[in-house]
Amino acid sequence: MPRIPSTARKALLTLHLITSLGWLGADLVLLTLGIAAQRGADPAVVYPVAALIGTVLFAPLSVLVWLIGVASSLLTPWGLLRYRWVLAKLVITTVMVGLVLFLLTPNLRHAGALGAALPARDRADLVIAPTVSTSLMIIATVLSTYKPWGRRTPTARGAGRPGAGPGRPGAGAGAGAGAGAGRPGAGAGRPGAGAGRPGAGAGRPGAGAGRPGAGAGRPGAGAGRPGAGAGRPGAGATTRM
């Protein structure tokens, strides 16, 4: 269920506190009336008043407190079943609402109808019931204040999702076997790539020394044509006339 804004959450909390305090106050009034009847107050006056308070105020507040408490749990980060103290309060409040609606309220109506004719055993019940409910309300208040016992299930924030901490298998060392060093043969290159193709380092056969006869030139090229170096016969010295 989506979370509500902060302003609405505070308003809901305020309403929960008001109804809970009203519920406790009505319960204390019923306890006071029951003790007063036991100590000599007029039962014909006390029990009709107690029946009116129980029927008009106490029973409706019981249902309202339960509904607002459940809504506050569901619409806030506390949750309804997430924390042990919230679950304990839910159980206590549910039991109290059941007792108020199906046991205490009928007894109060019966006492209001009988008045002074109410038997002594029933008069004692009208003291015991508010005492028990008041004690349970005090326990619920203590649980709300101290919030003991923590979560019912550990939070997922510390450990993360299963496998999230160390990562996927093999992810730290690379995606696959041989990923750290590259593909097979990638480090050294393809076979023969480092030294080049066969014969590439020295060139094609005969390329280093040139074609046959290229280094020394064509036959007779270095010395010139026969007779070229010394010139024609008789060209080197002048003839005397």
Side-chain angles (χ1 to χ4, degrees):
M1 187 174 292
R3 299 292 184 258
I4 60 176
S6 177
T7 305
R9 186 171 65 249
K10 291 179 180 179
L12 190 61
L13 177 60
T14 302
L15 186 60
H16 181 57
L17 291 175
I18 293 173
T19 53
S20 299
L21 290 175
W23 194 25
L24 178 60
D27 197 16
L28 290 175
V29 170
L30 291 177
L31 177 60
T32 302
L33 292 175
I35 295 175
Q38 290 282 42
R39 293 178 64 89
D42 188 2
V45 176
V46 170
Y47 291 136
V49 173
L52 180 64
I53 293 175
T55 304
V56 177
L57 184 62
F58 192 60
L61 278 176
S62 302
V63 178
L64 193 59
V65 166
W66 189 88
L67 291 175
I68 295 176
V70 171
S72 299
S73 299
L74 293 176
L75 297 177
T76 59
W78 291 114
L80 188 61
L81 304 176
R82 189 175 301 168
Y83 290 86
R84 292 183 177 90
W85 68 270
V86 177
L87 181 59
K89 277 191 61 178
L90 175 64
V91 172
I92 291 174
T93 308
T94 303
V95 170
M96 286 183 59
V97 170
L99 292 177
V100 168
L101 295 179
F102 301 108
L103 185 60
L104 181 59
T105 302
N107 288 340
L108 288 174
R109 290 175 179 172
H110 179 66
L114 293 180
L118 186 69
R121 180 176 54 86
D122 293 339
R123 294 184 183 188
D125 291 340
L126 294 180
V127 175
I128 295 174
T131 302
V132 173
S133 58
T134 301
S135 302
L136 291 176
M137 288 182 189
I138 293 174
I139 293 174
T141 304
V142 172
L143 291 177
S144 298
T145 303
Y146 290 95
K147 299 177 177 58
W149 307 320
R151 294 175 64 99
R152 296 182 61 244
T153 55
T155 180
R157 291 182 180 178
R161 295 183 178 90
R168 297 183 178 89
R183 297 183 177 88
R190 295 183 178 88
R197 295 183 179 88
R204 295 184 179 88
R211 295 183 179 87
R218 294 183 178 88
R225 294 182 179 87
R232 294 182 180 86
T238 58
T239 55
R240 294 180 181 177
M241 298 300 295

